[in-house]
Amino acid sequence: MDFRLLGRVGAATGAEELQLGPVKRRSVLAALLLKANSAVPVEQLIAALWDDAPPTHARTVVQGHVSRLRALLASAGAGEHGVGLMTQGPSYVFEVPETLLDTCRFERLARRGRLRQRPADAVAVLGEALALWHGPALDGTAPSAPLRAAAQTLEEARLDVVESLAVAHERLGDRAGAVAVLQAEAAAHPLCESLAEALILALYRAGRRSDALDRYHRVRCLLADELGVGPGPGLRGAYETALRGGPVGAGGGGPVSPLPAPGAGPAPVPDARYEADARYEADALLLAPAGRPPAPAGPAPRLLPRGVRGFLGRGTELAALDRITGAGDGAVALVTGPAGVGKTALALQWAHHRQARYPGGTLFADLRGFGGVPVEPAETVREFLIALGVPARDLPDSSAAAAALYRELTARRALLVVLDNARGTDQVRSLLPSGTGSAVLVTSRIRLSGLIVEELARPVPLDVLGPVPATELLAAAVGEERVAAEPEAADRLARLCDGLPLALRITAAQLAARPHWRLADLAAELADEQRRLALLSLDEAEESGVAAALRITVQGLPPEAVRLFALLGVVPGPDLERYAAAALLGRDPAVAAEALDRLAGAHLVTEYAPGRYSTHDLVRLYARGLGTDEGALLRLLDGYTATALAASLAAEPGEKPCCTLPREAPADAPVRTFADRPAALRWYAVERENLAAAVTAARAAGHDDRAWRLAVLQWPYVVWSVRDGWAPLLEQALEASRLLDDPDAESRVRALLGWVLTREGQLSEALAQLELAPALAARAHDPSSEAIALVNLAVALDADGITDASLRHVTRAVRLAREAQDVLTELLALQHRTHQLLARGDIAAAERCTAYALALDDHGVTTGLGALRRAALRLSRSEALLALGERDAAESCTRQALAEAASQGFQEGVNRARSQLEALGRPVDLPAAPKGGDRPVRS
């Protein structure tokens, strides 16, 4: 298979193009592929489809397009290629090997081309990367802001490769080729200063000085006319070079690489943002903010330690550091992230390449906030004063005097200060230089909110690496040949390491120590969750590795946060929110929310959406090994059960509860409340994967009484998304109910499972369940449950034509519901009874049946299934009236049904009403869309 974003968005299998359909479906695919193998929340997909306010049914539209994409992929045999579209909580994940996605192939070819030492090889590989483009990126998608921004980002990446290709041509001695490459792009992007700068230098090197000068003046005038700005430093520098006839950095003499820091040893593998460009360091001082004081006399301190070898990726974060520090005025950048994510590596990479901007010198201190004894600020101030030229004998005696002297000395310098491993704002505050020409870079595992509030520090969050850079980091450490020989094993190793650079480097060290091991061998070892953390430790005696880093992070957190962290290993689903956390702790949701916030501040959990938290796999494994409260899982299951019960009552307020809480469940546990039906259905959608995982966990732990309840209590959402793969969950619930020997539980599960199988077209499997359900409900002495089971059985039997048996089942269901005074269930039975009568041609009886049904008092139920049953009955009544020749009455009845169906988002009913009005030859005026939240559309 092949997926394309570099041009018109498309997908193909072999030579056959997949028919993606309308623009919005193509846009959903593009938004998912842009974040391939990552969770994409539904809200982001909605934003990608509508540039203005989305319609009330936007979520349903997205779900429909996802469902159709799944069907299209299945028909194309996508699973055989490792491609799948998965639901993950409130998000979707498009799983696809990077080799099948043209953006990943382009990125990999671009990186390889820039790293090629031989110019001819670089030209070939970069040309191959550009050949993947077949028009503007994301062509054929909705013109929404997120997709426009993504297309612009891809286009900028393409232009970067174009510039690199021009440099490669020059290194090859083909200056005319460099000009040709750049001229076409400069014409297409006349306001792109970097292209204009590269073209001016290429023209000058090719001996076309007058053309170079002319190009500059044309771009200068265009910038002034179109944007009202003058040329930037890079463009001015290119013009001055051509004007003076001076030397240029890449003038055919070979590649120009960033210089290593003094004493740093071999330069690290450069990121694409920092490589093969002579202008990078030359422009560093030009980019420095105006107004910086000159460097003082005497040598400037350079305290940076050696950078990390093999640094890759992080272009977005490096650019963010450029933006923050480029603003001047004593900017403070705060790099935060979990243990082992590479904060120090990022800080040193950026600092080594940008320290030329700071003529006053570079100061560095490891504050040891995590591990060892934290460094006192006064001690660091003294070290900095010595580095700034203060003799040891002249150092002030008091901490206050030393801090004052530090402020005085730094007021006259343009310094770069790097403060690594800070635990709190107090460690940092006295180390901030006072000069506005300085910049500070702080790294920490926790959010230093005080630094953000008091010093206006700008945070730069750092997360784990994606699949591509993670695999490339492995390749840089163990050799490209070894990774290229086992690409699938390398990808699996990257995933088992959770994209954590520390874990990846330890894995690389394990492989380096075992040259006879295949990558697949180590992947098989790491797949054992019991051993994974032990394998990701180089030397237990030295307390090194992932587990040690996590242990140090947890130290110092408040007791409730530590306790909640230890319970995270119990959570069976992909995420949790404060009510689930409260159930785990057995505490109030406010206490749980505070504990979650502290864990998020320490990057032990990630708040990926407002109020929703997830954990990386390695963190979850570590938490699982801490030893847990034995009652935690049961508390969590009871919390989910109680909330699901509340959601079912809010979603269908007129229906009788399908179950009660287990006898042992606490009655006073805090439960989320639901303002209305849409809120309850949204909760079901968001929590679907968590509830499914909870059912599996309940079964594994022997809590079968919770397992069947957690499955069946989702019935309101099952009704609205019946063809969305519910059978496996309900089969687990059925096994649990059978083990309990509970006829009530078993009858309810079989009735719901049979109905789902009926709607999926699996009639024989459905009948196997439904034929047993009524008798089980009768054994449980629940007439309403028996009535529903009989109706569901009749629906399955009638799929091949109305039978006498199904007529008897519905007649009995009506009687049972009436005796139980269960009006909504009686409406359900009468709805199907009317369908049977119409199918048999007994029009008069159908009209009488609907008249009786619509006269029933349903206690004012105006939403949910009660409203839908009334709408369906009105539509059946309209058919009967039309057949009896009463056209006006039929039209009136149809219009009432249309209004009810539209108000509930009952698309099937809306379509049926429209068809009936068209059959009557009457105009179809759709009612206004409902207000107050999204309404799901029934499958």
Side-chain angles (χ1 to χ4, degrees), residues 645-663:
L645 181 59
S648 69
L649 295 175
E652 303 298 342
E655 298 281 348
K656 290 186 176 181
C658 66
C659 66
T660 59
L661 291 175
R663 285 192 300 271

Side-chain angles (χ1 to χ4, degrees), residues 80 220 568 750 868 884:
E80 299 175 6
R220 177 179 59 81
L568 291 180
R750 288 190 186 277
L868 299 193
L884 293 171

Side-chain angles (χ1 to χ4, degrees), residues 6-7 399 453 702 726-727 795 930:
L6 305 180
S399 299
V453 173
W726 293 100
V795 169

Side-chain angles (χ1 to χ4, degrees), residues 139-223:
D139 188 26
T141 60
S144 62
L147 291 181
R148 287 198 305 270
Q152 179 63 28
T153 299
L154 289 170
E155 176 64 7
E156 289 171 0
R158 188 184 71 84
L159 293 178
D160 284 344
V161 174
V162 168
E163 293 183 37
S164 297
L165 178 59
V167 171
H169 273 292
E170 289 193 356
R171 292 169 53 201
L172 191 59
D174 181 12
R175 290 169 175 164
V179 171
V181 166
L182 293 167
Q183 269 185 325
E185 298 297 339
H189 301 82
L191 295 176
C192 179
E193 291 194 51
S194 65
L195 272 177
E197 174 191 349
L199 179 56
I200 289 168
L201 292 175
L203 287 166
Y204 169 62
R205 296 183 191 117
R208 298 168 59 181
R209 184 179 182 188
S210 61
D211 289 341
L213 298 176
D214 178 66
R215 171 67 61 172
Y216 170 80
H217 289 297
R218 285 160 57 190
V219 175
R220 177 179 59 81
C221 293
L222 196 60
L223 289 170

